[in-house]
Amino acid sequence: MATSRLEINFIRLLSRCESLASEKRGETEWRLEKYVGALEEMLVALKKSSSKPTPEILTDYNRKVDFLKGLLEADKLPSPAEKSLANQFLAPGRTPTISSEKTPTSKTVHIQSKARCAEEMRKELMSTGVSNSGSLETDFRHRKSFPVDERQSATELDAILQHHNNLQEKLADDMLNLARNLKNNSLAAQNIIKQDNQTLTQSMRQADMNFEKLKTESDRLEQHAKKSVNWFLWLMLILVSFTFISMILFIRLFPRLR
């Protein structure tokens, strides 16, 4: 299927949005928001187009647009921990946007975004232990205790990341169990429908057999009825003939007296 002009423009704008998202967002964020809004409008028009792509390609396009929207919403969250958690649930595109890409840009953007959030969380944790005192003694003490604070911050960061990973694994397990239950229910429903179809087929076959038997018996009854009518007709004919002959003989044998 030939690529339409609308789809070509959509791919170009999507590639531009992914390039902007891979950069450090600041001045370019407002442009990215406008581009993503235009992407949504173009995606709606592409779905309604007569020369729209296959459902698989449309699904991947929709996935990439939702990923960019989720990325913008995650950047607006107040704390790095919330940003990191929101980034964990983002789903990038599965295929490259343009043919020159070896790895989908959205996956690269997702990795960069998670790394950026982890760096912000590390800086936030480390900044809580930094003192702004200008005293040399306080600065010396701070320098002595800095490795301990850094190790403590790293430990807290690892604990937070581990907690997020545990939540993600739990969510994946729940989704796996749900998919397994859905599969079992589908198989059970399929077996029930199969049994019902077999029962219906047997009932239809039995009904056909009964109909054939009924037709045979009807034909036999019809033939029997015809035979009965024929015998009755002959019997009546013989009776009338016998009566007629008897009357003639009676008249001949016993003439009328004068």
Side-chain angles (χ1 to χ4, degrees):
M1 181 183 293
T3 305
S4 64
R5 185 67 180 174
L6 178 60
E7 186 177 359
I8 293 174
N9 293 334
F10 176 83
I11 293 173
R12 288 177 179 174
L13 184 58
L14 179 59
S15 177
R16 177 59 179 164
C17 289
E18 290 176 343
S19 299
L20 288 176
S22 64
E23 300 173 0
K24 264 193 170 180
R25 290 181 289 280
E27 297 179 355
T28 60
E29 187 171 356
W30 65 272
R31 282 194 295 170
L32 183 59
E33 289 182 358
K34 288 188 175 181
Y35 287 167
V36 171
L39 272 178
E40 291 183 289
E41 296 177 358
M42 293 177 69
L43 182 59
V44 172
L46 192 60
K47 290 179 180 179
K48 296 179 180 179
S49 175
S50 58
S51 57
K52 62 183 179 181
T54 61
E56 291 79 7
I57 297 178
L58 280 176
T59 301
D60 194 63
Y61 286 165
N62 196 70
R63 187 185 182 94
K64 291 179 179 179
V65 174
D66 289 340
F67 169 74
L68 292 172
K69 287 171 57 181
L71 205 63
L72 290 172
E73 293 174 358
D75 284 342
K76 295 178 181 178
L77 295 174
S79 65
E82 293 176 347
K83 292 180 181 180
S84 178
L85 183 61
N87 272 277
Q88 293 291 332
F89 294 100
L90 293 179
R94 297 177 180 176
T95 58
T97 303
I98 55 179
S99 58
S100 60
E101 295 177 358
K102 295 182 179 179
T103 303
T105 306
S106 56
K107 288 187 177 180
T108 306
V109 173
H110 193 208
I111 295 172
Q112 292 176 349
S113 180
K114 289 195 291 187
R116 190 181 298 114
C117 290
E119 182 67 24
E120 290 179 1
M121 289 176 63
R122 184 178 288 108
K123 288 181 180 180
E124 184 181 25
L125 291 172
M126 290 175 61
S127 64
T128 56
V130 177
S131 173
N132 293 326
S133 173
S135 168
L136 293 177
E137 182 178 0
T138 305
D139 185 65
F140 179 73
R141 290 177 180 175
H142 172 67
R143 289 181 181 180
K144 288 177 66 178
S145 63
F146 182 76
V148 177
D149 293 340
E150 186 176 5
R151 286 195 298 270
Q152 183 178 1
S153 300
T155 303
E156 293 176 355
L157 178 60
D158 292 338
I160 292 174
L161 293 177
Q162 184 64 34
H163 177 66
H164 291 166
N165 289 333
N166 292 336
L167 289 177
Q168 190 172 8
E169 291 177 359
K170 183 178 179 182
L171 180 62
D173 292 338
D174 292 341
M175 293 178 66
L176 183 62
N177 292 331
L178 182 61
R180 189 179 294 111
N181 293 333
L182 183 61
K183 181 180 179 181
N184 293 334
N185 293 335
S186 299
L187 290 175
Q190 184 177 0
N191 291 331
I192 293 173
I193 293 173
K194 187 177 180 180
Q195 293 176 1
D196 291 343
N197 288 335
Q198 291 177 354
T199 304
L200 182 61
T201 303
Q202 292 177 358
S203 300
M204 293 178 64
R205 189 180 297 114
Q206 188 66 32
D208 292 338
M209 293 174 62
N210 293 337
F211 179 76
E212 292 295 332
K213 290 181 179 180
L214 181 62
K215 185 178 180 181
T216 302
E217 294 298 328
S218 297
D219 293 339
R220 290 176 59 188
L221 182 61
E222 185 178 356
Q223 292 176 3
H224 182 70
K226 288 181 178 179
K227 289 180 180 180
S228 299
V229 171
N230 290 335
W231 281 107
F232 181 74
L233 182 61
W234 280 107
L235 182 62
M236 291 297 294
L237 185 60
I238 292 171
L239 183 60
V240 170
S241 299
F242 178 76
T243 304
F244 180 73
I245 294 172
S246 299
M247 289 179 64
I248 292 175
L249 289 175
F250 182 78
I251 292 171
R252 293 287 184 181
L253 293 174
F254 302 98
R256 187 175 60 176
L257 296 177
R258 295 183 181 179

